[in-house]
Amino acid sequence: MPEKRPDSEMVHGVPEVAVSSTTTMANRTGSWKYTRPVFQDMVAPCNATCAIGVDIEGTMNLVREGRLVEARELLLRENPMPATTGRICDHPCESSCNRKSFDQPVAVHSVERMLGDLALEDPLPAAVVRIRTGKAAVIGSGPAGLACAYHLVRMGYEVSVFEGDEEPGGTLRYRVPEFQLPRVVLDREIERMRALGVDIRCGVRLGRQLTWKYLERFDTVFLATGAHRSRALGVEGENLPGIQYGLDFLHEVGAGRAPEIGARVVVVGGDSVALDCARTALRLGAEVQLVFWGECEKLAADPAEVLEAEREGVEILYQTVPLAIRGSEQMAEEGAREPANTISAGISGAPTGMPMGLECIRMTLEKPDGYGGDPIPAEDGRQVLSAQTVIIAMGEEPDFDLLPLDLKHDQVRVAVDELGRTSKSAVFAGGGIVEEPHTIAHALGSGKRAAIGMDLYMRERAGEKVEAPSLAGLRYGRVGNFSITRYRGDDPVRRTGEVNEVAGVERINMAHFAPMPRRVERRMKPSDREGFEEVNLGLTQKEAVAEATRCFNCGTCNQCEMCLIFCPDVAITRREGDKKFSISYKYCKGCGVCAVECPRGAISMTREGL
Amino acid sequence: MSQIQIKDQIPTGELMSSGHFACPGCGGSLAMRLVLKGLGPKTMVALPACCWTIVAGPWPQSSVNIPLYHSPFETAAAVASGIRAALDMQGDQETTVLAWAGDGGTFDIGLQALSGAAERNENILYVCYDNEAYMNTGIQRSSATPWGAWTTTTPAGHPEARPKKDILAIMAAHRIPYAATASVAYPVDLIRKVEKARAIRGTRFLHVIAPCPPGWKTSDDETIELARMAVLTKIFPLMEVEDGQTWRFSMEHPGDPVEPYIKRQGRFSHLGPREIGQIQLDVDARWKMLERRVEMGI
Ligand SMILES: Cc1cc2nc3c(=O)[nH]c(=O)nc-3n(C[C@H](O)[C@H](O)[C@H](O)COP(=O)(O)OP(=O)(O)OC[C@H]3O[C@@H](n4cnc5c(N)ncnc54)[C@H](O)[C@@H]3O)c2cc1C
Ligand SMILES: Cc1ncc(C[n+]2csc(CCOP(=O)(O)OP(=O)(O)O)c2C)c(N)n1
Ligand code: SF4
Ligand code: SF4
Ligand code: SF4
Ligand code: SF4
Ligand SMILES: [Mg+2]
């Protein structure tokens, strides 16, 4: 055996048997990097497209984790009526959903509806403690007015809502057909707002029972009277008896009075309101044709609803332009068929049941096989559709007769800024009377923006030194709606290094997702649809939770730990107690693997040292 | 669940430490990190010359918190066999002896030692992390370098002209109890295979694809994506072979076209559509052969 050399005898400074005694942690290999990963939560595209400004991503994530109570609290922060929007919102969030590039968009509205319905079963909440001195008046109890009142009450204000109709809800109660939105759902959502402290006084119409003078006792007023004046069709014969306007027709039905219509009804229009008129008339027992001047794709309604209308039996005549309405004499002259029975026995004396006709012309494309051709009347395209009732649904506009003179407006809209401020101090406006699409989500969103504006206004008036918030910072992304949670600064979702940019599909690493088809809501079979029972039955809770697991959770870290698992330098760790992730820049070499592998784009690479 | 969740399936213990000397985005260093998660602290390593010689750190440092023997280039399997014998003498059956070598040390110079050990069915786990060339010495080709690739010894004018050696078949032919492939892009599969191998006695062989940004001429952040694409294109299928006879695929391989994988790597940038088409044909043909093996055994 060779003699053992003393330990001190080193070769090139290394002992004969070199045994390591320490780790490599003394090497600050992080100094090699020139780019630096940072946890940077971004905005999901759906959040930035929802006109209400709901934290959809956060809600989906909580549902995915099975935390349904927290999920609906998060939802209710921004949206006072999720059971309603889950049913009738046209869900623009889904058209921007990143998942559509993978398989199909997440059915956000179905999950929202499930959470909303869950909240309906809850006991009513306690009233919010009034901590503010200001008092606000809201005119109109449609979604815009209700949202404004809801958010102000939640901030601690006293709010009175004045509603001209007999019951609250506006268009939702009186015009959206019950087969789309059961009144029990609307009732319960409004009941919850009332429980929180929203005071709604019905049968009080501004301009009649209520004066502008009286309103002076409030610190601020929110005008949300909606758009209820029907646009005219503008053809000869429009003033004949037997003609109804869609909004009035639906209002009668909504108010529980069955309006008189004939057995054959022709609806003229090109949007979801026209479709609702047709489907309502159908339910009253009529045979219904819908006349629309454009092509199928141009019909401004959810294609699924168009399909439902057709399945129920509405005949849609596309590319058909109305020319004139003919009275009964004219029709008789032309030998039209005998008058049929009226359907509902309504207000007596109305000359219903008389035959009338809608003269129209079918259009065709100039160059039927090519693009760019203009529509031209088809040869032999002229026809007269006989009916006893013609319903005109050409869109709606607001009625500004009772606005004060110094409030700036044009024919169809009150001018407001992004906080809903009108030209008149203390007066705010939103919903159907301002320039924005006529949807429930926009109405709820504008009510929320105005609530923020009114809060700022009232605090200033109360002598508080108010720091104006960065409005751009309240928006989701650059163009999304304001987040009241951001405004209040009490986000329950833990976020790191938030940047207000949308996490587009290029930031999603699809390798970390498995295909899963979108859940389809059950609908009642057309043959089973009776009266005004709800058609769309939604998803079960289990299905909706499964649907939420399809969400990518775009832009916000959901602690999946992919970054931690794939780091070749063991530079990402998670603390025991608060589970917080951290990157050790002492050792991170800036390879960027974590940023690429993050399934949802919650890590960004930034220039080192900048 | 549509979100693929793996965190609960990855052991949290870390036997590798930061501050090691691998390049940014090194697939080989991640491979070691994951394999050690699967093996745990009762492990000893025999390490021949390769990048990992450097990654392990200079004396008196070590980037792995377990005994690791640096050994000559061609000797991984032999040194591992020796360590095993010594442990057996001590009555230690618990400790896993891991031979950890690069593709050069496995496919080329170390093949004789490996074949000997396998033939004796030495009770060792041999892991080859495959970066498809001699990277530590500056990107020279090995018999694991794929057809068409550039290396400093197979320049673009005369790129690698031979197909990658079928090391899995060679190992299977030794009738060892377990041989498998794995990819750093599939950590759950990789760790499952390591844990399975750990429980088996005899020679176990694991071949791990480990992209190398400087050697493949790719960006540092593409490592996992490439390791994933290699699998999805069937270029590097995930497989297991038991007793040299039972061949199995570890997952469904969709067979994505090879072109995007090839195009992302600078080492293939001289290849035109014809050559890429040839690679696709080779991959397809090899896949057919693998399917036959799965169906019938060797
Ligand atoms: C038939 C129909 C179907 C629709 N379907 C959908 C749908 O499926 N999805 C969707 O997103 N949107 C739909 N909409 C649009 C949506 O309902 C409206 O955009 C939304 O209700 C507008 O809200 P608002 O609060 O501004 O007005 P409204 O909901 O119209 O409420 C205004 C309220 O103000 C009251 N009011 C008016 N004047 C006074 C006054 N002087 N004093 C006191 N109170 C007054 C009214 O009585 C009414 O209650 C539909 C609209 C119609 C007409
Ligand atoms: C006998 C012998 N020949 C040559 C070398 C030089 N050498 C050290 S590492 C290495 C390449 C190792 O390649 P590989 O096994 O693929 O591992 P990698 O470096 O790629 O990780 C070479 C050639 C050596 N150490 N010993
Ligand atoms: S995947 Fe989820 S977070 Fe991303 S856009 Fe769709 S719903 Fe929103
Ligand atoms: S994967 Fe690790 S080393 Fe690479 S950038 Fe991320 S933290 Fe840094
Ligand atoms: S990989 Fe997962 S844990 Fe890491 S930042 Fe992204 S979401 Fe968060
Ligand atoms: S050369 Fe390649 S294998 Fe070697 S340390 Fe760098 S990245 Fe890893
Ligand atoms: Mg190598």
Side-chain angles (χ1 to χ4, degrees):
Chain A
M1 250 171 100
E3 227 171 279
K4 195 174 178 287
R5 280 186 296 183
D7 275 356
S8 57
E9 223 175 287
M10 314 263 267
V11 182
H12 306 303
V14 178
E16 189 193 29
V17 179
V19 178
S20 296
S21 52
T22 179
T23 70
T24 44
M25 299 290 275
N27 314 320
R28 300 293 158 89
T29 46
S31 65
W32 302 2
K33 71 174 153 309
Y34 46 88
T35 57
R36 165 185 292 243
V38 286
F39 291 114
Q40 222 166 53
D41 284 339
M42 297 176 71
V43 176
C46 51
N47 289 20
T49 342
C50 168
I52 306 176
V54 167
D55 181 4
I56 298 169
E57 181 285 315
T59 307
M60 293 292 153
N61 192 42
L62 288 167
V63 175
R64 184 183 63 83
E65 292 180 342
R67 293 153 68 186
L68 298 189
V69 175
E70 287 155 273
R72 79 154 153 50
E73 286 311 312
L74 193 67
L75 181 57
L76 282 170
R77 275 168 172 262
E78 309 288 342
N79 179 0
M81 39 195 352
T84 301
T85 51
R87 284 173 168 80
I88 67 164
C89 175
D90 58 359
H91 43 77
C93 54
E94 293 178 21
S95 30
S96 71
C97 175
N98 277 338
R99 181 137 191 158
K100 74 167 186 257
S101 312
F102 184 64
D103 42 22
Q104 305 105 30
V106 176
V108 174
H109 75 281
S110 307
V111 181
E112 180 175 57
R113 171 176 172 162
M114 179 275 286
L115 290 172
D117 284 355
L118 209 59
L120 297 184
E121 290 163 20
D122 285 345
L124 290 174
V128 180
V129 182
R130 197 171 302 155
I131 52 164
R132 298 280 184 191
T133 48
K135 273 166 62 177
V138 170
I139 314 299
S141 68
L146 287 176
C148 176
Y150 172 82
H151 290 297
L152 284 174
V153 160
R154 284 181 40 124
M155 288 182 216
Y157 288 101
E158 184 183 335
V159 185
S160 300
V161 180
F162 298 101
E163 168 56 55
D165 245 317
E166 282 147 45
E167 281 182 83
T171 295
L172 304 181
R173 176 176 304 279
Y174 287 107
R175 298 208 165 85
V176 173
E178 182 139 24
F179 63 84
Q180 309 267 34
L181 174 65
R183 295 302 177 254
V184 284
V185 172
L186 181 66
D187 286 342
R188 186 71 181 169
E189 298 215 292
I190 293 178
E191 214 181 321
R192 182 175 53 226
M193 291 188 235
R194 280 186 147 147
L196 286 171
V198 176
D199 171 35
I200 310 176
R201 304 188 199 164
C202 293
V204 185
R205 185 165 291 276
L206 178 61
R208 291 205 202 133
Q209 297 87 343
L210 181 67
T211 61
W212 279 97
K213 183 85 193 130
Y214 180 86
L215 288 176
E216 279 170 17
R217 68 187 62 188
F218 292 91
D219 295 283
T220 167
V221 177
F222 181 57
L223 274 181
T225 47
H228 305 145
R229 191 147 67 188
S230 294
R231 288 211 185 96
L233 178 57
V235 299
E236 186 197 318
E238 198 168 345
N239 50 1
L240 284 171
I243 289 178
Q244 302 190 20
Y245 284 95
L247 293 181
D248 305 334
F249 166 68
L250 290 173
H251 189 276
E252 285 301 289
V253 178
R257 300 181 286 263
E260 272 181 31
I261 53 167
R264 284 175 66 87
V265 171
V266 172
V267 180
V268 184
D271 61 5
S272 65
V273 177
L275 216 56
D276 285 345
C277 288
R279 295 174 75 186
T280 299
L282 202 72
R283 281 167 170 74
L284 293 176
E287 218 173 278
V288 184
Q289 287 176 310
L290 173 63
V291 170
F292 172 49
W293 50 93
E295 298 131 71
C296 178
E297 318 77 70
K298 301 246 171 74
L299 217 157
D302 185 345
E305 295 301 315
V306 178
L307 188 72
E308 289 309 316
E310 287 183 317
R311 289 172 68 189
E312 287 170 5
V314 174
E315 186 193 348
I316 305 181
L317 307 175
Y318 293 102
Q319 288 177 276
T320 305
V321 176
L323 300 173
I325 302 171
R326 313 276 207 80
S328 47
E329 301 94 72
Q330 273 171 293
M331 294 291 289
E333 274 166 30
E334 289 179 19
R337 46 179 212 142
E338 283 299 293
N341 301 324
T342 52
I343 306 251
S344 31
I347 315 144
S348 60
T352 50
M354 300 299 228
M356 49 197 296
L358 180 75
E359 186 184 336
C360 40
I361 181 128
R362 200 162 37 78
M363 307 298 279
T364 179
L365 282 183
E366 207 174 357
K367 301 179 208 149
D369 48 345
Y371 290 97
D374 286 329
I376 50 160
E379 255 177 72
D380 309 326
R382 223 189 67 100
Q383 54 182 325
V384 179
L385 305 172
S386 71
Q388 293 88 36
T389 305
V390 173
I391 297 177
I392 298 173
M394 295 296 296
E396 62 283 340
E397 50 196 39
D399 188 344
F400 289 146
D401 292 351
L402 22 98
L403 292 188
L405 288 176
D406 53 348
L407 204 149
K408 235 169 95 185
H409 64 88
D410 63 14
Q411 286 231 294
V412 290
R413 59 188 84 86
V414 173
V416 289
D417 69 4
E418 49 183 348
L419 286 174
R421 288 182 284 228
T422 66
S423 59
K424 191 172 161 64
S425 162
V427 178
F428 293 72
I433 60 170
V434 304
E435 176 157 30
E436 60 176 21
H438 288 178
T439 73
I440 182 172
H442 282 92
L444 291 168
S446 72
K448 180 165 83 176
R449 286 199 304 277
I452 292 173
M454 291 159 84
D455 174 46
L456 291 169
Y457 176 83
M458 286 191 277
R459 275 160 53 199
E460 227 161 57
R461 218 171 119 102
E464 196 181 313
K465 232 184 127 11
V466 182
E467 225 179 278
S470 142
L471 296 184
L474 296 184
R475 289 193 183 281
Y476 277 120
R478 272 171 226 182
V479 295
N481 199 28
F482 291 1
S483 154
I484 201 108
T485 298
R486 283 191 185 171
Y487 179 64
R488 296 167 62 125
D490 58 356
D491 196 346
V493 177
R494 184 175 66 195
R495 292 177 205 279
T496 319
E498 235 180 311
V499 287
N500 200 15
E501 303 267 329
V502 171
V505 69
E506 71 289 346
R507 292 188 67 89
I508 306 299
N509 189 335
M510 307 268 186
H512 298 300
F513 300 97
M516 189 191 253
R518 173 181 161 107
R519 301 288 184 298
V520 183
E521 295 171 312
R522 264 179 316 266
R523 285 167 203 266
M524 225 195 286
K525 269 198 291 189
S527 53
D528 293 349
R529 293 178 195 172
E530 261 180 44
F532 285 84
E533 260 184 281
E534 184 166 30
V535 169
N536 185 341
L537 305 173
L539 298 182
T540 63
Q541 181 172 322
K542 216 173 132 206
E543 288 169 333
V545 171
E547 183 62 19
T549 69
R550 294 182 65 238
C551 174
F552 291 160
N553 301 121
C554 304
T556 296
C557 172
N558 71 357
Q559 284 107 48
C560 72
E561 294 188 11
M562 290 291 178
C563 53
L564 189 153
I565 291 162
F566 285 113
C567 174
D569 285 275
V570 207
I572 304 182
T573 48
R574 206 169 169 190
R575 269 210 303 253
E576 266 309 314
D578 61 3
K579 298 276 180 193
K580 223 177 128 69
F581 285 83
S582 59
I583 298 176
S584 170
Y585 295 118
K586 265 192 224 163
Y587 303 111
C588 159
K589 294 173 187 152
C591 68
V593 159
C594 52
V596 169
E597 288 313 311
C598 174
R600 45 197 56 80
I603 300 179
S604 299
M605 298 305 290
T606 59
R607 283 279 296 280
E608 177 73 351
L610 292 177
Chain B
M1 183 76 97
S2 165
Q3 295 193 7
I4 296 166
Q5 295 279 353
I6 63 172
K7 62 177 169 186
D8 300 330
Q9 300 165 67
I10 309 291
T12 50
E14 295 289 354
L15 286 167
M16 201 172 101
S17 63
S18 302
H20 61 67
F21 287 139
C23 305
C26 170
S29 53
L30 178 60
M32 176 71 95
R33 181 179 166 223
L34 295 173
V35 164
L36 292 184
K37 277 175 178 286
L39 289 179
K42 280 270 181 206
T43 304
M44 290 174 86
V45 190
L47 185 85
C50 58
C51 273
W52 250 96
T53 310
I54 311 304
V55 181
W59 177 85
Q61 298 181 340
S62 170
S63 63
V64 292
N65 197 14
I66 45 170
L68 177 148
Y69 286 82
H70 288 278
S71 50
F73 196 13
E74 61 277 36
T75 66
V79 171
S81 305
I83 297 173
R84 180 75 262 164
L87 287 171
D88 286 348
M89 296 280 282
Q90 293 178 353
D92 179 347
Q93 297 296 315
E94 207 188 331
T95 302
T96 304
V97 179
L98 169 68
W100 180 271
D103 49 291
T106 304
F107 288 59
D108 297 345
I109 193 169
L111 188 62
Q112 174 275 135
L114 173 58
S115 176
E119 193 273 327
R120 298 189 301 274
N121 197 22
E122 291 284 353
N123 186 20
I124 59 170
L125 168 58
Y126 190 109
V127 178
C128 169
Y129 72 100
D130 184 2
N131 50 25
E132 303 194 318
Y134 293 65
M135 296 306 183
N136 184 43
T137 41
I139 323 172
Q140 294 85 21
R141 60 90 58 183
S142 77
S143 54
T145 302
W147 183 88
W150 163 95
T151 67
T152 54
T153 48
T154 50
H158 304 274
E160 174 59 36
R162 296 290 302 153
K164 188 181 177 94
K165 192 187 270 184
D166 191 347
I167 195 77
L168 194 65
I170 292 171
M171 295 314 294
H174 286 77
R175 297 286 196 93
I176 54 173
Y178 188 68
T181 60
S183 158
V184 286
Y186 295 88
V188 174
D189 174 78
L190 186 149
I191 290 174
R192 181 186 65 79
K193 285 170 176 165
V194 169
E195 285 171 345
K196 182 169 174 182
R198 184 171 178 271
I200 295 172
R201 288 182 63 84
T203 305
R204 295 138 284 162
F205 178 79
L206 188 64
H207 181 200
V208 185
I209 185 81
C212 160
W216 291 17
K217 301 298 173 218
T218 52
S219 313
D220 302 344
D221 61 2
E222 292 177 295
T223 296
I224 306 302
E225 288 192 305
L226 291 168
R228 184 179 296 122
M229 289 169 97
V231 173
L232 297 177
T233 53
K234 299 178 172 170
I235 286 178
F236 195 89
L238 298 185
M239 307 197 72
E240 285 179 294
V241 193
E242 272 162 27
D243 302 318
Q245 288 183 325
T246 316
W247 289 67
R248 232 190 341 262
F249 294 116
S250 314
M251 58 176 257
E252 292 265 344
H253 293 77
D256 293 352
V258 300
E259 185 173 341
Y261 173 77
I262 300 295
K263 284 247 159 124
R264 278 176 86 151
Q265 303 176 47
R267 63 174 172 157
F268 293 119
S269 61
H270 52 280
L271 300 185
R274 253 191 51 182
E275 288 81 15
I276 295 176
Q278 186 56 47
I279 293 176
Q280 184 70 63
L281 290 176
D282 291 348
V283 168
D284 294 346
R286 182 164 179 292
W287 181 260
K288 285 222 170 67
M289 183 191 72
L290 288 174
E291 279 182 330
R292 276 203 303 278
R293 282 186 193 157
V294 167
E295 263 167 49
M296 313 185 276
I298 302 193

